[in-house]
């Protein structure tokens, strides 16, 4: 290997012994750089090459003689360029080492640059080490791609599983209301003229009730399908929340078959808010109809509205609580409540699909909100819808 050109960048010529000491030190540097597994080079303060190790010379296709004393910007236009600030500028600026990743001849290279100071504290050299990390980066990229593919496959599999569940659900669950309808229709058909008006009315009422059950199931199933196909679009518009919720509670009370007490608590909510009213209706109707379904006669059902400010970041939220004094939810069921088709043990004697909460949560999240539940079995349940507060 050729020795480096003597470095006169400090402009002084010391005594022969000092010069020899410098040369000996530089020779040691060459030996060390060649022993390194990395590509390595030593530059003077003007960024001219003092020494370059064999690995880097090979990559650049140059000999030591061709690079010594020449500016790094001519020798290796990549990754260095005079046209931009580079890692060596950062070393000068900070007086410390720099570690970064750069592109070099279609490879990704980890670059580490260290300052070398003389005894007066003046920056005299840059020691630079380069390590080709392309393979590692590629492996990481391949792994990421494989992981993304796996997630896509998992999504397809989940969708397929859900569709299979839908089919099996339709065939099993629709049988119950259909059988009830069939029974009443047969009875009316065969003995209709022998039944008194009251009994006939009971069977007509049963048919109507079961038709309603089937309609709810089909609506839930269709909604679930459209959610799965990702066609959900929200259409926010100004909504007078207190009046809107008042009307929802009144409509629920009117349709409730059992005697329950309905309440609306609305603290001060200034002016209309931006919301998709259809989404809001879907979420609240679901929670209110569940409250009605799972609360015995004489129970209380309350919809409360409040405005809250997050203490941590000052963001504004709307809180809508639907509270009932009904059968409650067993602790063991809390974790699975929002899964499609899941129904708690104590709810099974009431009709239902187990889809309502999954749909309500998807709608809430589409609005940037959350839907949570607090409940004690036998005491009652409170669902809380938390939506971003956007004054209209
Ligand atoms: P569905 O009511 O049709 O079964 P949902 O998805 O609306 O389906 O609710 C899932 C389950 O959550 C219900 O089956 C029931 O176990 C429980 N649940 C929901 N709301 C209430 C409530 N207000 N009180 C008690 N249990 C409830």
């Amino acid at each position: 290997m050729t020795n480096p050109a003597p470095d006169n960048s400090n402009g002084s010529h010391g005594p022969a012994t000092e010069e020899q000491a410098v040369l000996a030190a530089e020779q040691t540097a060459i030996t060390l750089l060649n022993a390194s597994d990395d590509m390595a080079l030593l530059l003077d303060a003007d960024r001219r090459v003092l020494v370059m190790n064999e690995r880097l010379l090979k990559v650049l296709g140059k000999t030591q003689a061709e690079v010594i004393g020449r500016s790094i910007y001519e020798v290796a236009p990549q990754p260095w360029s005079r046209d931009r600030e580079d890692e060596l500028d950062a070393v000068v600026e900070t007086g410390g080492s720099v570690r970064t990743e750069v592109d070099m001849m279609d490879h990704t290279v980890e670059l580490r640059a260290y300052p070398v100071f003389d005894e007066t504290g003046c920056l005299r050299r840059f020691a630079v080490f380069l390590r080709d990390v392309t393979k590692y980066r590629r492996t990481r990229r391949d792994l990421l791609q494989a992981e993304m593919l796996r997630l896509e496959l998992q999504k397809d599999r989940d969708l397929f599983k859900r569709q299979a569940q839908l089919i099996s659900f339709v065939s099993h669950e629709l049988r119950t209301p259909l059988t009830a309808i069939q029974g009443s229709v047969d009875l009316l058909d065969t003995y209709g003229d022998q039944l008194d008006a009251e009994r006939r009315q009971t069977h007509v009422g049963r048919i109507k009730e079961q038709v309603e059950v089937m309609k709810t199931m089909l609506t839930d199933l269709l909604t679930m399908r459209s959610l799965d196909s990702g066609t959900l679009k929200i259409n926010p518009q100004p909504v007078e929340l207190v009046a809107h919720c008042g009307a929802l509670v009144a409509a629920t009370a009117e349709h409730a078959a059992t005697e329950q007490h309905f309440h609306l608590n609305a603290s001060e909510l200034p002016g209309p808010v931006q919301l998709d009213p259809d989404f809001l209706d879907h979420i609240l109707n679901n929670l209110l109809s569940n409250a009605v379904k799972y609360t015995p006669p004489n129970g209380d059902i309350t919809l409360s509205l409040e405005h809250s400010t997050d203490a941590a970041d000052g963001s504004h939220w709307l809180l809508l609580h639907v509270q009932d004094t009904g059968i409650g939810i067993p602790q063991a069921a809390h974790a699975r409540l929002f899964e499609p088709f899941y129904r708690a043990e104590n709810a099974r004697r009431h009709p239902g699909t187990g889809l309502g909460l999954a749909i309500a949560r998807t709608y809430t999240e589409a609005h940037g909100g959350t839907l949570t539940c607090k409940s004690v079995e036998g005491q009652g349940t409170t669902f809380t819808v938390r939506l971003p507060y956007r004054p209209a």
Side-chain angles (χ1 to χ4, degrees), residues 15-31:
T17 47
E18 198 182 311
E19 191 95 340
Q20 276 163 2
V22 170
L23 282 174
E26 239 132 58
Q27 190 58 50
T28 312
I30 295 168
T31 313

Side-chain angles (χ1 to χ4, degrees), residues 216 220 286-295 322-324 326-330 333 336-348 350-359 373 375 380-383:
T216 312
D220 281 358
N286 181 274
L287 299 178
L288 286 168
S289 64
N290 274 354
V292 169
K293 185 163 60 176
Y294 299 116
T295 301
V322 178
Q323 186 179 15
D324 66 56
I327 61 170
I329 299 168
R336 300 192 55 197
L337 221 48
F338 296 94
E339 279 177 27
F341 303 108
Y342 181 78
R343 307 199 69 216
E345 205 63 54
N346 65 339
R348 304 257 166 93
H350 302 272
T353 60
L355 287 174
L357 287 182
I359 294 170
C373 169
S375 181
T381 303
T382 304
F383 281 96

Side-chain angles (χ1 to χ4, degrees), residues 244-258 260-265 280-295 300-305 320-326 356-357 360 371 381-385:
H244 193 90
C245 289
L248 278 183
V249 173
T252 312
E254 202 182 313
H255 290 112
T258 49
Q260 285 146 336
H261 308 289
F262 290 85
H263 315 274
L264 176 71
N265 283 344
L280 182 68
D281 287 1
H282 207 108
I283 297 165
L284 290 180
N285 276 332
N286 181 274
L287 299 178
L288 286 168
S289 64
N290 274 354
V292 169
K293 185 163 60 176
Y294 299 116
T295 301
D300 287 292
I301 294 168
T302 310
L303 172 59
S304 316
L305 314 181
L320 302 107
H321 310 280
V322 178
Q323 186 179 15
D324 66 56
T325 54
L357 287 182
L371 173 59
T381 303
T382 304
F383 281 96
T384 298
V385 183

Side-chain angles (χ1 to χ4, degrees), residues 79-310:
W80 288 283
S81 159
R82 258 192 246 275
D83 305 334
R84 62 168 180 89
E85 298 237 319
D86 61 24
E87 298 67 32
L88 303 177
D89 293 321
V91 169
V92 174
E93 214 163 278
T94 62
S97 61
V98 169
R99 184 193 183 111
T100 183
E101 266 179 28
V102 292
D103 290 329
M104 181 176 168
M105 305 163 91
D106 294 335
H107 284 244
T108 306
V109 169
E110 184 191 80
L111 181 151
R112 284 164 292 141
Y114 303 90
V116 181
F117 301 98
D118 65 14
E119 62 280 3
T120 67
C122 189
L123 178 70
R124 293 290 308 278
R125 307 270 189 270
F126 297 97
V128 183
F129 296 85
L130 300 154
R131 180 174 296 173
D132 190 345
V133 290
T134 315
K135 220 159 87 182
Y136 169 66
R137 289 286 169 267
R138 273 199 196 127
T139 319
R140 215 174 64 169
R141 207 176 49 214
D142 290 349
L143 282 174
L144 274 174
Q145 272 171 358
E147 179 60 12
M148 274 162 70
L149 207 67
R150 194 188 66 75
L151 289 176
E152 282 288 310
L153 275 173
Q154 187 60 44
K155 230 164 87 186
D156 284 353
R157 242 182 252 140
D158 288 349
L159 192 61
F160 184 75
K161 196 170 137 201
R162 203 131 74 208
Q163 280 171 352
Q165 276 176 329
L166 283 184
I167 293 167
S168 106
F169 174 82
V170 171
S171 42
H172 283 99
E173 298 300 313
L174 287 185
R175 204 173 282 162
T176 315
L178 274 176
T179 310
I181 291 170
Q182 178 94 52
S184 290
V185 168
D186 285 350
L187 219 115
L188 288 172
D189 192 27
T190 317
Y191 305 108
D193 38 6
Q194 297 165 38
L195 296 176
D196 59 31
E198 196 183 334
R199 289 196 65 195
R200 267 208 309 275
Q201 201 43 50
T202 306
H203 285 287
V204 171
R206 192 169 292 159
I207 291 169
K208 280 187 177 164
E209 192 182 297
Q210 294 305 320
V211 166
E212 276 310 309
V213 169
M214 286 175 65
K215 264 164 64 181
T216 312
M217 282 186 190
L218 287 175
T219 312
D220 281 358
L221 287 169
L222 285 173
T223 313
M224 203 66 201
R225 219 187 63 148
S226 67
L227 293 185
D228 273 346
S229 66
T231 50
L232 202 60
K233 266 214 177 80
I234 48 173
N235 183 18
Q237 44 190 283
V239 176
E240 286 286 354
L241 205 59
V242 181
H244 193 90
C245 289
L248 278 183
V249 173
T252 312
E254 202 182 313
H255 290 112
T258 49
E259 280 300 312
Q260 285 146 336
H261 308 289
F262 290 85
H263 315 274
L264 176 71
N265 283 344
S267 56
E268 301 256 309
L269 283 173
V273 291
Q274 279 295 114
L275 277 174
D276 184 323
D278 291 340
F279 275 35
L280 182 68
D281 287 1
H282 207 108
I283 297 165
L284 290 180
N285 276 332
N286 181 274
L287 299 178
L288 286 168
S289 64
N290 274 354
V292 169
K293 185 163 60 176
Y294 299 116
T295 301
N298 275 323
D300 287 292
I301 294 168
T302 310
L303 172 59
S304 316
L305 314 181
E306 41 166 332
H307 165 258
S308 87
T309 307
D310 194 312

